[in-house]
Amino acid sequence: MSILKVTNLKKRFGKFTALDGVNMEVKKGEVFGFIGPNGAGKSTTIRILLGMLKATQGEARVFGKDVWADAVDIHKRIAYVPGDVNLWPNLTGGEVIDLLMKMNGSTNLTKREELIKKFNFDPTKKSRTYSKGNRQKVALIAAFASDADLYILDEPTSGLDPLMETIFQECVLDAKRAGKSVLLSSHILSEVEKLCDRVGIIRQGKIIETGTLDELRHLTRTHLTIKTKKHITSLNELKGIHNLEEKDSERTLQVDAEEMDTVIRYIAEFGILKLESSPPTLEDLFMRHYQGEEYSNSKIEGSL
Amino acid sequence: MVARYFKGTNQLTAFYFKQHRFKILVWLIGLIGITLSVASAYPSIYNDEESRQAASLTMDNPVMVAMLGTGYEMEEYVNSVGAMFANEMLLFTAIAVAIMSILLVGRATRGDEEEGRNEMVRALSVGRLSSVSAVMIVIVSTNILLAILTGIGLASLGIEGVELEGSLLYGSILGATGLLFASFTAVFAQVTETSKGTTMFSFMLLIIAYLIRAIGDVSSEELSWISPLGWTVKTGVFVENDWWPVVLSCIVAIMFGVIAFYLHSIRDLGAGFIAARKGKTHASPFLQTSLGLALRLQRTNIIAWAIGLFILSSSFGAILGDLETYFAENEFMQAFIVVDSDYTMTEQFITLLMAIMSLISLVPAVMVILKVKGEETRNLTENYYTRAISRTRVLGSHFLLAVVVSFIMQSLVALGLWSVGEVVMDEAISFDTTIASAYVYLPAIWVVISLVIGLVGVVPKLTGLIWLYVVFCFVVVYLGDLFDFPEWMNNLSVFDYIPQIPIDSVNFTAMVVLILISFVLSIIGFSGYNRRDISG
Ligand SMILES: Nc1ncnc2c1ncn2[C@@H]1O[C@H](COP(=O)(O)OP(=O)(O)OP(=O)(O)O)[C@@H](O)[C@H]1O
Ligand SMILES: [Mg+2]
């Protein structure tokens, strides 16, 4: 079942096109990672989903309802955490948490206390005096203490320490276990890797790749280091070979996933002495997508 | 040593000038423009001795003295257009200059610090005091520029009785008053932790200074020496041309400037001298409603305005007694002014007073609505709109709050004036009349409130323009007769449609039309607000 569905979403600010036909879907019980370079349009998409910006074109639905027209209705079942949490300076953290929860109509006090303890947060101080991480905790506590069906998180951990980061991840996994859906935009790739079932990559206002991490990995190349008895000839004539380098008697190369079988068979004929393979790191994967064509042209030669 | 404290001041000064040049320009053009155009209007209005005599009689009573400061002697007044001009314009222009200085200094010092901009600057290779010094240089130059331009401008008008020395003094005392309040604000910026606190304390000081001067000028000469605004009107511009108030103001300004620098050098960035207390763990049920939150966020501001307005109107109430005696004793004066009226002089003065007080109580009501825009700029409305709160509800609760505030303020104005007037007058004005003459302004106030709603909803970038409109209304009320504005221009001010109770009778059609206009404007505002992008 689809909780969130975005079709051909466009947003222009004056002449500047921030979103240029975004398509995206989040299903029930799924943690969807939303990643992309700075200024790609993640926050813009999220603000449209929250009914704060009006889409220039296209459709966005949450729980089957229109995000602009039915914003208030939708928000009753949504919890949102921004990357930059702004609080009223002269209210205390505790007051703000109550306010934010009340605005969504939920008052789960036990959950609130539990989270305050878990995040090790002092709710009695004025918001003005909180550090960035503590402001973020206010939004996180209010979000996870409310009983939402969809969590929209825009770089929710940009100010948290590693310990708090772990607690945040537990919260997300708890929500997932309870059958909730999560849209998580983040620059912390290890976090995305750990939490997300599926990932969408956005660049210059367009989704350029969507899928499970495995599917995405599949699209990239595996690193191989090989040493053979006989000298391998004309390896570079094979399809799907990139960045071939020779060092001492060893060779390193990258192989497209779909050509792996052919390449291994070919190498095997020369008598394998050593074969090391390492999967592409998530980092590699994203680097290639983030940097776009220039990167794949210059560093990996060949194109996708 | 010098580097440790002042390195980079030059660049920062240029930076602050650039950042605030638009505001400074608007203020300077506005202040100098109004001063010069009013001055040039005087000779044609008071072209013979009779009209000057008449004017001098209107001025020579306790209410006017309380409002405008000690007047001039009769002969001086009659012989010099300059004296008349200074008597009517100097104090209020000086207050406007003080407001400019307070706003600019508050914004550039504590405002920048509170919002974290100062942190980045301080991380550069600049001295500890460089940014304060830069702000002070900017404000000192602005006030000096104002003084010189006003002085030269007035002198160059070539009006008889507005000669060079007087003109320069007029400009200088304006600048000096501005500097004085700039230095007070700089001190408050060190002591309090928020820019709101800084401007609030500074405005409070301004109001207190005005009131002390008002009471002092009416009843005891010595008292007005305590108030900086008392010095302003002691210059006797265009007649005696006393320069010592300018010198005194500058000396005190330098003293407070030094105190501000010292405090700044010994405190932590972002901190004040008033320590933070521990707060509540939970939000009260009232705070959890939209209206409760709106009220809580503006509580201090509203209370401060309420107290200020009450004090202001009761001070005027206190003078009513003096006024009454004055008129009773002065039969000649009565015959002169009460041409064909069944109303007492006091009642006639009350109408002018009410018009001005209503404009003042308009300010906090407008601020309530502007808060919606202010919160959006600070990405705080995001907290509502990402939750199950509709835009109509948020804007609606602010609208409601503004209407309630306008009620409270007008009630306090009426109450202050009536309660004290009742005590000091022999023939007191009735409570009904007083309250009616205050409430009758409510429709006009609501039109302006709805206008702000319209701006916030439809053209959020231009919401600041509302202050121009408020100033315009003030100019029409205060200077409309003097300038003899064309009718259409008076008609642009909603306050012009309000019957002046008890002189005029209540005009219900006008009231209904104003309320209808207010409805239309607010509907436009609400629908615009529901349709536009919210930036944060
Ligand atoms: N109100 C606006 N007016 C004009 N341009 C805007 C506006 N809001 C966003 N943009 C532009 O739209 C683009 C997308 O911005 P967005 O905030 O969505 O990026 P992002 O993917 O969230 O980036 P980051 O990772 O840095 O948070 C950027 O180029 C930004 O400058
Ligand atoms: Mg973003």
Side-chain angles (χ1 to χ4, degrees):
Chain A
M1 201 182 90
S2 148
I3 292 283
L4 180 159
K5 193 162 167 56
V6 172
T7 340
N8 195 27
L9 198 64
K10 290 191 180 161
K11 176 71 189 175
R12 270 190 289 277
F13 294 109
K15 281 207 178 97
F16 177 76
T17 306
L19 298 184
D20 192 14
V22 170
N23 292 295
M24 188 163 83
E25 188 176 3
V26 178
K27 303 205 183 71
K28 186 168 163 40
E30 167 178 88
V31 182
F32 186 87
F34 191 33
I35 57 181
N38 293 133
K42 300 180 293 295
S43 301
T44 306
T45 311
I46 288 178
R47 276 164 180 261
I48 291 177
L49 288 174
L50 290 165
M52 303 199 27
L53 302 181
K54 190 170 189 178
T56 317
Q57 225 181 69
E59 200 182 38
R61 295 191 159 268
V62 173
F63 308 130
K65 293 176 195 158
D66 184 81
V67 290
W68 177 261
D70 301 320
V72 175
D73 236 17
I74 293 173
H75 293 175
K76 286 182 191 145
R77 296 165 58 196
I78 279 189
Y80 166 68
V81 180
D84 228 332
V85 180
N86 294 289
L87 305 173
W88 297 277
N90 48 350
L91 300 187
T92 65
E95 282 176 323
V96 176
I97 293 174
D98 282 352
L99 264 172
L100 297 183
M101 287 175 68
K102 173 72 191 199
M103 284 185 199
N104 260 9
S106 59
T107 36
N108 190 340
L109 284 184
T110 19
K111 193 84 179 279
R112 176 189 185 271
E113 299 315 322
E114 192 185 305
L115 283 165
I116 284 182
K117 210 167 284 156
K118 229 168 151 181
F119 277 107
N120 192 16
F121 176 74
D122 177 2
T124 62
K125 284 199 201 152
K126 295 272 182 201
S127 299
R128 187 187 316 123
T129 64
Y130 285 132
S131 63
K132 177 169 167 53
N134 277 328
R135 284 203 302 274
Q136 202 119 34
K137 285 182 194 173
V138 170
L140 285 169
I141 292 169
F144 285 110
S146 70
D147 188 32
D149 290 320
L150 173 63
Y151 292 83
I152 297 186
L153 314 172
D154 190 358
E155 297 179 40
T157 57
S158 52
L160 294 188
D161 65 47
L163 205 68
M164 292 303 134
E165 165 84 39
T166 326
I167 291 172
F168 163 76
Q169 292 180 0
E170 274 170 31
C171 287
V172 172
L173 292 175
D174 280 347
K176 185 184 162 183
R177 240 171 271 133
K180 321 279 186 170
S181 314
V182 180
L183 174 65
L184 170 66
S185 152
S186 176
H187 289 301
I188 303 172
L189 297 175
S190 60
E191 179 181 279
V192 175
E193 198 169 13
K194 208 176 281 173
L195 297 174
C196 296
D197 305 307
R198 287 195 315 131
V199 174
I201 302 176
I202 187 172
R203 195 162 65 85
Q204 289 174 3
K206 279 197 191 104
I207 299 276
I208 47 170
E209 211 70 73
T210 322
T212 63
L213 281 175
D214 279 344
E215 280 166 0
L216 290 187
R217 283 216 179 87
H218 194 72
L219 289 173
T220 62
R221 300 149 187 167
T222 307
H223 294 260
L224 290 184
T225 310
I226 51 174
K227 198 169 169 184
T228 46
K229 280 186 207 144
K230 283 184 281 178
H231 187 73
I232 310 185
T233 51
S234 53
L235 187 56
N236 50 359
E237 281 161 30
L238 284 183
K239 241 174 57 180
I241 301 277
H242 307 272
N243 289 16
L244 184 59
E245 270 169 39
E246 191 164 354
K247 215 166 95 192
D248 304 331
S249 56
E250 287 185 3
R251 289 176 167 212
T252 61
L253 66 156
Q254 292 179 356
V255 187
D256 283 344
E258 59 272 25
E259 296 297 327
M260 188 66 102
D261 188 46
T262 336
V263 173
I264 299 289
R265 276 168 206 279
Y266 182 78
I267 297 169
E269 286 170 24
F270 297 90
I272 294 177
L273 288 176
K274 173 184 172 191
L275 174 65
E276 280 174 15
S277 110
S278 52
T281 62
L282 206 55
E283 210 90 12
D284 286 337
L285 175 74
F286 294 138
M287 281 301 189
R288 211 168 103 212
H289 283 297
Y290 278 21
Q291 294 182 326
E293 267 139 43
E294 316 90 70
Y295 181 83
S296 42
N297 282 341
S298 62
K299 283 179 104 175
I300 315 188
E301 43 183 359
S303 62
L304 184 79
Chain B
M1 173 69 186
V2 173
R4 206 167 101 207
Y5 285 110
F6 296 105
K7 187 162 175 249
T9 305
N10 292 349
Q11 289 100 307
L12 279 175
T13 308
F15 170 74
Y16 277 114
F17 257 122
K18 216 166 144 187
Q19 211 184 357
H20 296 286
R21 67 190 157 187
F22 185 67
K23 265 184 246 167
I24 293 176
L25 205 66
V26 169
W27 272 107
L28 287 185
I29 291 175
L31 286 167
I32 296 170
I34 289 183
T35 303
L36 295 189
S37 47
V38 170
S40 52
Y42 264 81
S44 58
I45 303 167
Y46 303 108
N47 48 7
D48 52 22
E49 214 179 293
E50 253 162 65
S51 60
R52 282 183 219 154
Q53 202 138 23
S56 108
L57 283 172
T58 4
M59 288 299 164
D60 193 17
N61 69 67
V63 171
M64 284 306 174
V65 169
M67 259 174 30
L68 303 173
T70 41
Y72 295 80
E73 296 301 318
M74 182 77 151
E75 306 97 76
E76 296 165 358
Y77 210 87
V78 173
N79 289 327
S80 158
V81 175
M84 301 178 71
F85 163 72
N87 186 32
E88 192 153 348
M89 292 298 293
L90 179 59
L91 185 59
F92 272 77
T93 316
I95 289 173
V97 177
I99 292 175
M100 168 189 83
S101 300
I102 289 173
L103 290 178
L104 281 175
V105 173
R107 179 91 235 142
T109 52
R110 186 49 85 165
D112 269 11
E113 188 169 332
E114 185 182 28
E115 272 151 45
R117 286 187 286 268
N118 210 345
E119 190 172 341
M120 302 217 290
V121 172
R122 277 280 284 272
L124 303 173
S125 159
V126 300
R128 204 160 233 287
L129 291 174
S130 300
S131 51
V132 204
S133 319
V135 175
M136 288 330 257
I137 292 175
V138 168
I139 198 72
V140 169
S141 332
T142 305
N143 277 303
I144 290 180
L145 201 65
L146 174 84
I148 294 174
L149 290 179
T150 310
I152 293 176
L154 278 177
S156 68
L157 288 177
I159 301 167
E160 205 195 318
V162 180
E163 84 301 357
L164 183 64
E165 191 193 348
S167 302
L168 288 178
L169 177 60
Y170 189 92
S172 306
I173 191 67
L174 288 182
T177 311
L179 281 184
L180 199 54
F181 279 90
S183 70
F184 293 150
T185 312
V187 172
F188 283 127
Q190 313 311 316
V191 179
T192 59
E193 248 179 32
T194 60
S195 63
K196 228 170 73 187
T198 304
T199 40
M200 215 172 64
F201 277 115
S202 310
F203 279 126
M204 232 132 72
L205 191 68
L206 183 63
I207 292 177
I208 292 170
Y210 182 81
L211 290 176
I212 291 182
R213 183 214 50 78
I215 296 168
D217 282 353
V218 174
S219 52
S220 93
E221 178 87 355
E222 292 78 46
L223 192 59
S224 43
W225 285 67
I226 301 175
S227 161
L229 290 177
W231 310 339
T232 309
V233 291
K234 281 191 195 301
T235 38
V237 188
F238 298 121
V239 180
E240 285 125 41
N241 284 341
D242 254 334
W243 282 84
W244 67 260
V246 177
V247 178
L248 181 61
S249 298
C250 287
I251 291 173
V252 176
I254 292 171
M255 264 163 49
F256 276 87
V258 170
I259 293 175
F261 273 66
Y262 172 71
L263 291 177
H264 190 88
S265 71
I266 58 169
R267 75 177 170 86
D268 292 342
L269 187 67
F273 283 96
I274 300 167
R277 282 164 299 160
K278 224 171 167 58
K280 294 199 181 95
T281 318
H282 281 281
S284 67
F286 178 61
L287 178 58
Q288 295 185 16
T289 61
S290 304
L291 188 64
L293 177 61
L295 178 60
R296 166 68 184 274
L297 294 175
Q298 310 200 47
R299 192 175 53 190
T300 346
N301 200 22
I302 294 173
I303 293 177
W305 275 94
I307 295 175
L309 266 170
F310 186 77
I311 295 177
L312 200 61
S313 77
S314 28
S315 322
F316 282 120
I319 294 155
L320 287 179
D322 284 340
L323 187 68
E324 199 182 32
T325 345
Y326 175 82
F327 285 132
E329 283 166 3
N330 202 330
E331 273 168 45
F332 164 69
M333 167 98 195
Q334 265 175 340
F336 199 86
I337 283 190
V338 188
V339 198
D340 50 4
S341 170
D342 301 333
Y343 299 96
T344 62
M345 283 303 299
T346 347
E347 281 171 330
Q348 296 194 27
F349 274 107
I350 286 175
T351 60
L352 175 63
L353 212 60
M354 274 302 170
I356 290 177
M357 296 298 283
S358 306
L359 272 158
I360 301 177
S361 62
L362 174 64
V363 175
V366 167
M367 282 163 88
V368 168
I369 308 281
L370 283 183
K371 183 83 176 172
V372 178
K373 176 69 193 354
E375 296 235 302
E376 184 178 342
T377 316
R378 288 183 199 178
N379 286 333
L380 280 169
T381 41
E382 177 177 83
N383 289 329
Y384 310 117
Y385 298 135
T386 55
R387 297 192 167 74
I389 301 280
S390 71
R391 297 180 182 190
T392 309
R393 181 141 144 225
V394 170
L395 196 57
S397 17
H398 283 84
F399 192 26
L400 183 63
L401 185 62
V403 169
V404 172
V405 164
S406 67
F407 247 117
I408 296 175
M409 296 299 162
Q410 287 300 80
S411 310
L412 287 175
V413 165
L415 207 65
L417 197 65
W418 172 81
S419 60
V420 182
E422 161 101 344
V423 177
V424 297
M425 289 167 78
D426 295 330
E427 211 178 303
I429 21 164
S430 80
F431 180 72
D432 293 353
T433 315
T434 321
I435 204 97
S437 65
Y439 281 169
V440 80
Y441 279 95
L442 284 175
I445 295 180
W446 295 339
V447 170
V448 182
I449 291 176
S450 311
L451 189 60
V452 196
I453 296 261
L455 290 175
V456 171
V458 182
V459 275
K461 284 203 182 98
L462 301 181
T463 41
L465 288 184
I466 197 66
W467 295 125
L468 278 185
Y469 185 69
V470 173
V471 169
F472 170 77
C473 290
F474 193 82
V475 170
V476 170
V477 166
Y478 191 62
L479 299 171
D481 295 337
L482 177 74
F483 269 141
D484 219 0
F485 283 144
E487 197 52 29
W488 62 266
M489 219 161 133
N490 286 338
N491 287 348
L492 280 181
S493 158
V494 275
F495 283 77
D496 206 50
Y497 297 94
I498 301 298
Q500 305 195 323
I501 293 179
I503 309 262
D504 303 341
S505 58
V506 184
N507 177 353
F508 284 104
T509 336
M511 304 276 115
V512 172
V513 171
L514 286 183
I515 290 179
L516 279 182
I517 294 176
S518 146
F519 259 108
V520 172
L521 283 173
S522 49
I523 287 171
I524 294 175
F526 273 90
S527 69
Y529 191 62
N530 268 299
R531 225 167 293 169
R532 71 173 172 88
D533 286 352
I534 296 282
S535 59

